[in-house]
Amino acid sequence: MSSKRAPIIGVIGPGQCSGKLKIQAEQIGQTIAAEGAMLVCGGLGGVMEAAARGAKEKDGTTIGIIPGDKKSDANKYIDIVIPSGIGEARNLLIIRTADAVVALPGMYGTLSEMAFCMKTNTPLVSLQAWDISDKIIRLDDPIKAAKEAIRLARERK
Amino acid sequence: MSSKRAPIIGVIGPGQCSGKLKIQAEQIGQTIAAEGAMLVCGGLGGVMEAAARGAKEKDGTTIGIIPGDKKSDANKYIDIVIPSGIGEARNLLIIRTADAVVALPGMYGTLSEMAFCMKTNTPLVSLQAWDISDKIIRLDDPIKAAKEAIRLARERK
Amino acid sequence: MSSKRAPIIGVIGPGQCSGKLKIQAEQIGQTIAAEGAMLVCGGLGGVMEAAARGAKEKDGTTIGIIPGDKKSDANKYIDIVIPSGIGEARNLLIIRTADAVVALPGMYGTLSEMAFCMKTNTPLVSLQAWDISDKIIRLDDPIKAAKEAIRLARERK
Amino acid sequence: MSSKRAPIIGVIGPGQCSGKLKIQAEQIGQTIAAEGAMLVCGGLGGVMEAAARGAKEKDGTTIGIIPGDKKSDANKYIDIVIPSGIGEARNLLIIRTADAVVALPGMYGTLSEMAFCMKTNTPLVSLQAWDISDKIIRLDDPIKAAKEAIRLARERK
């Protein structure tokens, strides 16, 4: 009767991005859902939206922790919207909620999230995002990256 | 393919409480799940644990936004643990995440959450909790209270 | 060489208010500064601005913890602007920063702050604000209220 | 009668550090105070304590935004303790409160703060800290670094 918590995988990256990055994010989202994990992200556009869309295509569960206080700010692929109302500080909640994280190349928001992964010993798989630690697992294939994150999340539990 | 968001009902009340309150909270949780809504709460003990247990008994989905940064702080009936790490400020996230709230009699934490419901126009059903506004719907039966909160949540969307 | 921390008095109340309340807030601010204490408030308009203006008239130090992330949101009587960027959650920081609090009659934001004072055992003096606890000290004169808050703040240290 | 806001300089770096770093941080704090600016930091040990001590040696004003909710966690050179109670999320408040920042070499907490400076266009002077942007001003001398940060803070206003 107690909860069997599915692993939660965070996907981080820019809120506006190229088509190539969107395709990668979508594949990551699909893989997360297909493997029985849940997705957490920042709930807005770009990589966040593409990853959530991918997860919904495979019937997954998507959590979006948004900076503002209006649920309508979230993209339409988010099942559970957490309107944090605490602005950028919500980035820390995304990382804490994730059992492992996949990073796509982003700017300073992504960098601060990656730094926070390192600080909190959250397993981090990177597809050509910032190079700030040897502990980051670098992969080029989005599907392999998502699978590796799920493996690390399960191992951690 | 986009998400059909189920209503999310917040349950607030003391982290330590009498057996009577636990039974009420459990019935509220059961009703929320049986009616196809999701539960959000503070993820710890007392009313929060009883409500989450009730929801899991009826196969519902439970979200716990906890004050600390360790998932292990959450009670075992929480499916999705959000380790906010922002302490009491997480109370505001519970209210913002909820589409409607049921309050059980608690102390000042509960009062501040009820005040925040009023401030954000979040529908609030109370079982003998603080009397701070005419906008609060007062009911004595936990099952009716949960159903009324769900009705208000659906109406709001 | 180490810091001699002056007591910090919080002043809470509505962001829009009548002339009568502004006069009271200004007198409270004046008294805080005249007695060698510092003022902390939410940094915006109404009671917050009047109290800060009062403090500056007596050459005091004013701290404003604002909800947004732009210093320009603060009123012009604030010396030290803390742009929290965490919205309403900043209310908790005001109470934690204060060694004692004076409340003027406000709505639900004020109520949640008063509730948080009670939760954290922060001494609270009220000028006809919400009646939620016997621990609140009720006074009608703003100058006496400010002096009592300063006394309680000094006693606490 | 309105406030003449002094520039506020943030000093960031590790909470535990070598004697060399402490000396640099102390010189930075001294310079900030000697030049009429205020210091904001994380309020704890290491670089934060040394910088605050330096500022107090020159009769400056020191603000410490600490992660926890107890004022006693702050080091003894902090005049104004903001007990945020929001954990690591308080790093963002330090950066938002600062008009310019000096970074000393730290780990991932420092990195996330530097990333947040870049995200918010906060002028950043670095003494051999993380190299994440061409916009960071690199200097080797702590006194020059502090003076440059103050110059940038004044220019920004």
Side-chain angles (χ1 to χ4, degrees):
Chain A
M1 201 173 63
S2 75
S3 173
K4 285 178 198 138
R5 287 177 199 160
I8 303 180
I9 307 301
V11 179
I12 61 176
Q16 293 189 327
C17 67
S18 69
K20 187 195 159 196
L21 229 55
K22 281 186 190 168
I23 291 168
Q24 291 189 326
E26 190 166 357
Q27 290 177 319
I28 291 167
Q30 288 171 343
T31 308
I32 289 169
E35 300 279 325
M38 293 193 283
L39 168 76
V40 66
C41 68
L44 302 180
V47 156
M48 299 171 262
E49 181 166 354
R53 187 173 60 235
K56 291 312 294 174
E57 283 161 1
K58 300 292 180 184
D59 237 359
T61 297
T62 55
I63 306 158
I65 306 179
I66 60 174
D69 54 13
K70 287 186 187 62
K71 288 200 173 185
S72 55
D73 289 348
N75 72 63
K76 64 180 176 179
Y77 305 105
I78 300 295
D79 296 317
I80 297 168
V81 183
I82 313 281
S84 74
I86 59 170
E88 295 291 325
R90 71 82 146 84
N91 288 2
L92 283 67
L93 276 73
I94 296 169
I95 303 307
R96 288 195 190 105
T97 299
D99 298 306
V101 170
V102 182
L104 287 159
M107 289 302 292
Y108 295 108
T110 304
L111 174 57
S112 77
E113 289 170 315
M114 293 177 73
F116 196 65
C117 284
M118 291 299 101
K119 192 173 174 65
T120 55
N121 291 314
T122 304
L124 175 56
V125 181
S126 162
L127 275 99
Q128 305 189 308
W130 294 85
D131 183 4
I132 55 168
S133 167
D134 289 345
K135 288 191 183 166
I136 298 173
I137 311 218
R138 300 169 188 296
L139 289 169
D140 287 323
D141 180 76
I143 294 168
K144 283 184 187 159
K147 286 188 177 174
E148 178 63 9
I150 294 163
R151 193 188 67 75
L152 290 164
R154 290 199 205 273
E155 197 180 88
R156 195 183 176 191
K157 294 208 145 195
Chain B
M1 203 174 60
S2 75
S3 173
K4 284 178 198 138
R5 289 179 198 158
I8 303 180
I9 308 301
V11 179
I12 61 176
Q16 294 190 325
C17 66
S18 69
K20 185 194 161 197
L21 230 54
K22 282 186 190 169
I23 291 168
Q24 291 188 325
E26 190 167 357
Q27 289 177 319
I28 291 166
Q30 288 171 341
T31 308
I32 289 169
E35 300 278 326
M38 293 192 282
L39 167 75
V40 67
C41 69
L44 301 181
V47 156
M48 299 171 262
E49 182 165 352
R53 187 174 57 236
K56 290 313 294 174
E57 284 161 1
K58 300 291 181 186
D59 237 358
T61 297
T62 54
I63 306 159
I65 306 180
I66 60 174
D69 55 13
K70 287 185 187 62
K71 289 200 174 186
S72 55
D73 288 348
N75 72 63
K76 65 180 176 178
Y77 306 105
I78 300 295
D79 296 316
I80 296 169
V81 183
I82 313 281
S84 74
I86 59 169
E88 295 292 326
R90 71 80 147 84
N91 288 2
L92 282 67
L93 276 72
I94 296 169
I95 303 307
R96 287 195 191 105
T97 298
D99 298 306
V101 170
V102 182
L104 287 159
M107 289 301 293
Y108 296 108
T110 304
L111 174 57
S112 77
E113 289 171 315
M114 293 177 72
F116 197 65
C117 284
M118 291 299 100
K119 190 171 174 68
T120 56
N121 292 313
T122 304
L124 175 56
V125 181
S126 163
L127 274 98
Q128 305 188 309
W130 294 85
D131 184 5
I132 56 168
S133 168
D134 290 344
K135 288 192 183 164
I136 298 173
I137 307 202
R138 300 169 189 295
L139 290 168
D140 287 323
D141 180 76
I143 294 167
K144 282 184 188 159
K147 285 188 178 175
E148 178 64 8
I150 294 164
R151 193 187 68 74
L152 290 164
R154 289 198 205 273
E155 196 180 272
R156 195 182 176 193
K157 295 207 143 194
Chain C
M1 203 172 62
S2 75
S3 173
K4 286 180 197 137
R5 288 177 198 159
I8 303 181
I9 308 300
V11 179
I12 61 177
Q16 293 189 328
C17 66
S18 68
K20 185 193 160 198
L21 229 54
K22 281 187 191 169
I23 291 168
Q24 291 188 326
E26 190 166 358
Q27 288 176 319
I28 291 167
Q30 288 171 342
T31 307
I32 289 169
E35 299 279 326
M38 294 193 282
L39 167 76
V40 67
C41 68
L44 302 180
V47 157
M48 300 171 261
E49 182 166 354
R53 186 174 59 235
K56 291 313 294 174
E57 284 162 0
K58 300 292 180 186
D59 236 357
T61 297
T62 55
I63 306 158
I65 306 180
I66 60 174
D69 55 12
K70 285 184 188 63
K71 288 200 174 185
S72 55
D73 289 348
N75 72 63
K76 64 182 177 176
Y77 306 104
I78 300 295
D79 296 317
I80 296 169
V81 183
I82 313 281
S84 73
I86 59 170
E88 295 292 326
R90 72 79 148 84
N91 288 2
L92 283 67
L93 276 73
I94 296 169
I95 304 306
R96 288 196 191 103
T97 298
D99 297 307
V101 170
V102 181
L104 288 159
M107 289 301 292
Y108 295 108
T110 304
L111 174 57
S112 77
E113 288 170 315
M114 293 177 72
F116 196 65
C117 284
M118 291 299 101
K119 191 172 174 65
T120 56
N121 292 314
T122 304
L124 174 57
V125 181
S126 163
L127 275 99
Q128 306 189 308
W130 294 85
D131 183 4
I132 55 168
S133 168
D134 289 343
K135 289 193 182 163
I136 298 172
I137 311 214
R138 300 168 190 295
L139 289 170
D140 287 322
D141 180 75
I143 294 168
K144 282 184 187 160
K147 285 188 177 174
E148 178 64 8
I150 294 163
R151 193 187 67 75
L152 290 164
R154 290 197 205 273
E155 195 179 271
R156 195 183 176 191
K157 294 206 144 195
Chain D
M1 201 175 62
S2 74
S3 174
K4 284 176 199 140
R5 289 178 198 159
I8 303 181
I9 308 300
V11 178
I12 62 177
Q16 293 190 327
C17 67
S18 68
K20 186 195 160 194
L21 229 55
K22 281 186 190 169
I23 292 168
Q24 291 188 326
E26 191 167 357
Q27 289 177 318
I28 291 167
Q30 289 171 340
T31 307
I32 289 169
E35 300 279 327
M38 293 192 282
L39 168 75
V40 67
C41 69
L44 302 180
V47 155
M48 299 170 262
E49 182 165 354
R53 186 174 59 235
K56 291 313 294 175
E57 284 161 0
K58 299 292 180 187
D59 237 357
T61 297
T62 55
I63 307 158
I65 306 179
I66 61 174
D69 54 13
K70 287 185 187 62
K71 288 200 174 186
S72 55
D73 288 348
N75 71 63
K76 65 181 174 176
Y77 306 105
I78 300 296
D79 297 315
I80 297 169
V81 182
I82 314 281
S84 73
I86 59 169
E88 296 291 325
R90 71 80 148 83
N91 288 1
L92 282 68
L93 276 73
I94 297 169
I95 303 306
R96 287 195 190 104
T97 299
D99 297 307
V101 171
V102 182
L104 287 159
M107 288 302 292
Y108 296 108
T110 304
L111 175 56
S112 76
E113 290 171 314
M114 293 177 73
F116 197 65
C117 285
M118 291 298 101
K119 192 173 173 66
T120 55
N121 292 314
T122 304
L124 174 56
V125 181
S126 164
L127 275 98
Q128 306 190 308
W130 294 84
D131 184 4
I132 55 167
S133 167
D134 289 344
K135 288 192 183 164
I136 298 172
I137 311 218
R138 298 166 191 299
L139 290 169
D140 288 321
D141 180 75
I143 294 168
K144 282 184 187 161
K147 286 188 176 174
E148 177 64 8
I150 294 164
R151 193 188 67 75
L152 290 164
R154 291 199 205 271
E155 195 180 272
R156 194 182 178 193
K157 295 207 141 191

